[in-house]
Amino acid sequence: MPTLTDAQLQQLIQGITQGMNSVREEQYPYPEKYRGDRSHPEDLERFISQVKAYVVARGITEEKKKVLLAIGRLTETASAWAIPITDYMYKNASALHGDYNMLEKFFTELRKAFGTEQIAEIAMINLQNLCHMGNPA
């Protein structure tokens, strides 16, 4: 039976590790970016689901890292919404405010800002706009 040199063994281990990491990357991609488009609350739920799946797949257990991952995937209106959270962290030695110190709390606040609670408000605004278009004052 042939034996491997230390260099060959290390090369084999490195190849296996790289192969496992590439499969993991493909199976659990980074969550898509979330823009904060209130007219599409289903995008928010998809984003939340992707963040949760990524956190579980990567074995991320520290709440601050989970929240920072989610904040890092926000863009446009949603990232502007998160500015006070990151400002608070900057001023308080990287501590998260109590309303955002756990991923579920963060998602609750994100839903309040962009989620299904806003659907009725958006529908009312759209209805008012339609009424004004059909009957300008």
Side-chain angles (χ1 to χ4, degrees), residues 4-5 19 26 33-34 72 89 99:
L4 297 174
T5 65
E26 292 170 17
K33 292 186 176 187
Y34 176 66
M89 290 180 69
D99 288 342

Side-chain angles (χ1 to χ4, degrees), residues 24 27-31 47-63 65-67 69-70 103-104 107:
R24 182 179 286 167
Q27 287 179 329
Y28 306 107
Y30 229 44
F47 169 74
I48 290 171
S49 177
Q50 289 175 358
V51 170
K52 287 179 180 180
Y54 187 85
V55 163
V56 170
R58 296 288 182 210
I60 302 170
T61 57
E62 188 180 337
E63 289 298 322
K65 288 182 179 179
K66 293 176 188 180
V67 172
L69 166 73
L103 188 60
E104 285 303 322
F107 287 153

Side-chain angles (χ1 to χ4, degrees), residues 6 27 34 105 108:
D6 286 342
Q27 287 179 329
Y34 176 66
K105 287 183 179 182
T108 297

Side-chain angles (χ1 to χ4, degrees), residues 96-114:
L96 284 167
H97 186 277
D99 288 342
Y100 308 99
N101 66 356
M102 293 178 59
L103 188 60
E104 285 303 322
K105 287 183 179 182
F106 177 82
F107 287 153
T108 297
E109 296 303 316
L110 197 61
R111 281 184 176 113
K112 285 180 186 176
F114 301 103

Side-chain angles (χ1 to χ4, degrees), residues 12-118:
L12 179 62
I13 291 171
Q14 183 179 10
I16 292 170
T17 303
Q18 288 174 345
M20 289 171 55
N21 287 339
S22 68
V23 168
R24 182 179 286 167
E25 287 296 323
E26 292 170 17
Q27 287 179 329
Y28 306 107
Y30 229 44
E32 292 178 15
K33 292 186 176 187
Y34 176 66
R35 298 183 345 217
D37 185 350
R38 288 181 176 94
S39 64
H40 294 283
E42 68 278 4
D43 290 349
L44 174 59
E45 294 307 316
R46 184 175 25 260
F47 169 74
I48 290 171
S49 177
Q50 289 175 358
V51 170
K52 287 179 180 180
Y54 187 85
V55 163
V56 170
R58 296 288 182 210
I60 302 170
T61 57
E62 188 180 337
E63 289 298 322
K64 184 166 119 180
K65 288 182 179 179
K66 293 176 188 180
V67 172
L68 289 174
L69 166 73
I71 289 173
R73 302 307 295 162
L74 301 178
T75 63
E76 299 178 26
T77 306
S79 65
W81 170 84
I83 289 172
I85 301 169
T86 54
D87 284 350
Y88 180 90
M89 290 180 69
Y90 181 76
K91 293 175 185 172
N92 293 283
S94 299
L96 284 167
H97 186 277
D99 288 342
Y100 308 99
N101 66 356
M102 293 178 59
L103 188 60
E104 285 303 322
K105 287 183 179 182
F106 177 82
F107 287 153
T108 297
E109 296 303 316
L110 197 61
R111 281 184 176 113
K112 285 180 186 176
F114 301 103
T116 55
E117 291 86 1
Q118 303 299 321

